[in-house]
């Protein structure tokens, strides 16, 4: 009997000791950290997210590097990568990263509103948070109303090669193969680089560019101040656009904080403010300025590789 009492007391003592140790070691970290890899944000842009950092007691670092270098870094570092979030300018880069299994599976897409889900992809693991329209800066001498007008004569293509691929993907989706290939060929033949604008005779040429570029108006050669913005196809099938995305790196060490950050960027108030600073349009509220092309970006990215191969063949 005494032996049983001693054993019982010993058991209680051990459990108390283990429980005390568990309480002692289960303290939450005083501060959390979030590291973002981006090809357009700088470390100074952490001010865009200052309320998140304050409310969540998070420190943030933004590392700026080209998208291809982001891919190389993640593949080299693997699960030891010291980063959590990827924010790239062009949707094609997010798609490329997903195809290489570099992005964490989105298991919280049901937490998004119906509108937010339309700009995100559970298949390719990206969350869209900003819309950057493909617009035309018209001169007084020549006006582009629809994208088909670009095929009638020369125009300035101020898009990068990746942006051009994104812009042309709806053409491949809308038209049959032969017609789409012909459209892209004429588009390519008609497009010119901005360097020809040094000649005053070419000043009347319309400029195909992104809304964010037009709004920032940093290039004196393009002279956007004397041009009129037009959203092609806005009154019909809708204006084409590039999607700014957020993705979580596969096996991110700070996954829960990264998820909280994504949801923070999508709340109506924050989404509107962040996009205003970036000269893009929010996804969380309806846009009355122009009609958006209504085919999902998840579907359109499947045409990116086809457009890329076609443009290389044409060149």
């Amino acid at each position: 009997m005494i032996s049983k009492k001693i054993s019982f007391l010993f058991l209680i003592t051990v459990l108390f000791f283990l429980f005390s140790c568990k309480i002692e070691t289960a303290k939450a970290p005083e501060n959390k950290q979030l590291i973002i890899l981006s090809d357009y944000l700088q470390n100074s842009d952490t001010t865009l997210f200052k309320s998140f950092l304050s409310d969540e007691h998070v420190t943030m670092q933004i590392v700026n590097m080209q998208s291809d270098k982001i891919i190389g870094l993640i593949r080299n570092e693997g699960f030891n990568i010291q980063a959590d979030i990827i924010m790239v300018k062009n949707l094609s880069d997010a798609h490329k990263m997903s195809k290489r299994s570099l992005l964490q599976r989105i298991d919280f897409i049901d937490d998004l509103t119906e509108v937010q889900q339309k700009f995100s992809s559970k298949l390719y693991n990206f969350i869209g948070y900003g819309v950057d329209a493909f617009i035309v800066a018209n001169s007084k001498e020549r006006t582009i109303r629809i994208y088909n007008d670009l095929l009638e004569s020369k125009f300035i293509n101020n898009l990068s090669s990746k942006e051009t691929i994104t812009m042309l993907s709806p053409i491949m989706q809308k038209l049959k193969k032969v017609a789409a290939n012909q459209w892209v060929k004429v588009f390519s033949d008609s497009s010119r680089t901005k360097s020809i604008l040094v000649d005053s005779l070419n000043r009347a040429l319309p400029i195909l560019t992104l809304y964010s570029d037009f709004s920032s108006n940093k290039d004196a050669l393009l002279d956007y101040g004397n041009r009129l913005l037009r959203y092609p196809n806005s009154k019909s099938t809708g204006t084409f656009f590039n999607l700014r995305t957020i993705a979580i790196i596969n096996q991110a060490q700070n996954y829960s904080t990264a998820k909280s950050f994504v949801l923070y960027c999508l709340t109506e108030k924050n989404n509107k403010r962040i996009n205003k600073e970036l000269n893009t349009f929010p996804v969380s509220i309806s846009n009355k300025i122009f009609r958006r092309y209504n085919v999902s970006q998840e579907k359109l990215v499947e045409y990116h590789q086809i457009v890329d191969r076609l443009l290389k063949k044409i060149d």
Side-chain angles (χ1 to χ4, degrees):
M1 186 65 129
I2 294 176
S3 176
K4 288 183 178 181
K5 287 184 178 180
I6 293 174
S7 298
F8 178 76
L9 290 173
F10 177 77
L11 178 61
I12 292 297
T13 303
V14 170
L15 290 174
F16 178 80
F17 177 79
L18 291 175
F19 182 77
S20 300
C21 291
K22 185 176 181 181
I23 294 296
E24 188 67 24
T25 59
K27 291 181 179 178
E30 293 183 0
N31 208 357
K32 294 171 286 187
Q33 186 180 38
L34 200 64
I35 299 179
I36 298 175
L37 305 180
S38 177
D39 62 354
Y40 64 96
L41 295 176
Q42 306 291 332
N43 197 47
S44 58
D45 291 317
T46 55
T47 55
L48 288 171
F49 318 112
K50 59 183 180 181
S51 60
F52 173 79
L53 304 182
S54 175
D55 295 344
E56 298 290 329
H57 305 290
V58 175
T59 59
M60 176 181 289
Q61 180 184 0
I62 299 177
V63 181
N64 180 271
M65 62 174 62
Q66 296 176 357
S67 58
D68 289 341
K69 291 186 177 181
I70 292 175
I71 292 174
L73 177 65
I74 298 174
R75 297 184 75 172
N76 289 335
E77 296 292 329
F79 295 152
N80 295 319
I81 183 73
Q82 297 297 307
D84 310 289
I85 292 283
I86 298 174
M87 298 177 73
V88 286
K89 185 177 182 181
N90 199 274
L91 178 59
S92 62
D93 286 319
H95 179 239
K96 185 187 298 183
M97 293 173 186
S98 176
K99 297 292 282 185
R100 286 166 170 74
S101 301
L102 304 182
L103 306 182
Q104 179 68 38
R105 179 177 175 272
I106 299 173
D107 60 358
F108 55 90
I109 199 163
D110 292 337
D111 295 339
L112 310 183
T113 66
E114 184 177 348
V115 172
Q116 293 166 352
Q117 289 183 23
K118 290 181 180 179
F119 294 95
S120 302
S121 173
K122 191 173 183 179
L123 178 62
Y124 297 119
N125 304 310
F126 63 76
I127 301 288
Y129 78 94
V131 169
D132 200 357
F134 291 110
I135 61 99
V136 174
N138 287 315
S139 65
K140 296 178 181 179
E141 292 81 2
R142 184 179 169 208
T143 299
I144 298 295
R145 293 181 174 85
I146 59 177
Y147 292 113
N148 281 341
D149 291 344
L150 293 170
L151 309 185
E152 295 181 358
S153 60
K154 293 187 296 184
F155 68 93
I156 305 301
N157 183 3
N158 193 44
L159 303 176
S160 69
S161 58
K162 290 179 181 180
E163 290 162 355
T164 299
I165 290 171
T166 301
M167 185 267 164
L168 292 173
S169 60
I171 299 297
M172 304 304 295
Q173 178 268 328
K174 290 173 61 175
L175 304 178
K176 293 183 179 180
K177 182 178 179 180
V178 174
N181 289 354
Q182 180 63 22
W183 202 102
V184 173
K185 184 180 186 307
V186 177
F187 172 91
S188 181
D189 291 342
S190 301
S191 65
R192 300 291 186 273
T193 63
K194 68 178 182 180
S195 60
I196 70 171
L197 288 174
V198 296
D199 187 341
S200 59
L201 295 176
N202 295 314
R203 283 287 179 176
L205 293 179
I207 303 172
L208 174 66
T209 189
L210 284 165
Y211 176 82
S212 60
D213 180 77
F214 181 88
S215 300
S216 60
N217 194 19
K218 295 179 180 178
D219 195 324
L221 183 61
L222 295 172
D223 192 22
Y224 287 145
N226 292 321
R227 292 176 175 270
L228 300 176
L229 181 157
R230 185 85 183 198
Y231 298 96
N233 293 30
S234 184
K235 294 183 179 181
S236 55
T237 56
T239 300
F240 304 159
F241 60 88
N242 182 34
L243 189 66
R244 297 286 179 96
T245 60
I246 309 175
I248 301 176
I249 296 176
N250 196 14
Q251 300 296 316
Q253 296 181 11
N254 300 297
Y255 173 80
S256 60
T257 305
K259 175 183 174 181
S260 297
F261 175 75
V262 172
L263 297 177
Y264 163 87
C265 291
L266 290 179
T267 61
E268 184 173 320
K269 178 182 177 181
N270 295 325
N271 193 240
K272 183 178 180 180
R273 176 182 52 79
I274 293 169
N275 278 282
K276 183 179 180 180
E277 291 292 329
L278 297 175
N279 293 309
T280 49
F281 295 96
V283 299
S284 292
I285 55 177
S286 61
N287 179 15
K288 298 179 180 179
I289 299 177
F290 67 95
R291 183 197 301 272
R292 298 166 178 167
Y293 190 63
N294 61 5
V295 177
S296 72
Q297 296 301 299
E298 181 179 87
K299 184 173 183 179
L300 290 178
V301 292
E302 297 174 0
Y303 293 92
H304 285 194
Q305 191 172 8
I306 298 173
V307 177
D308 186 26
R309 287 200 300 262
L310 180 58
L311 288 174
K312 289 177 179 176
K313 183 178 179 180
I314 292 172
D315 292 341

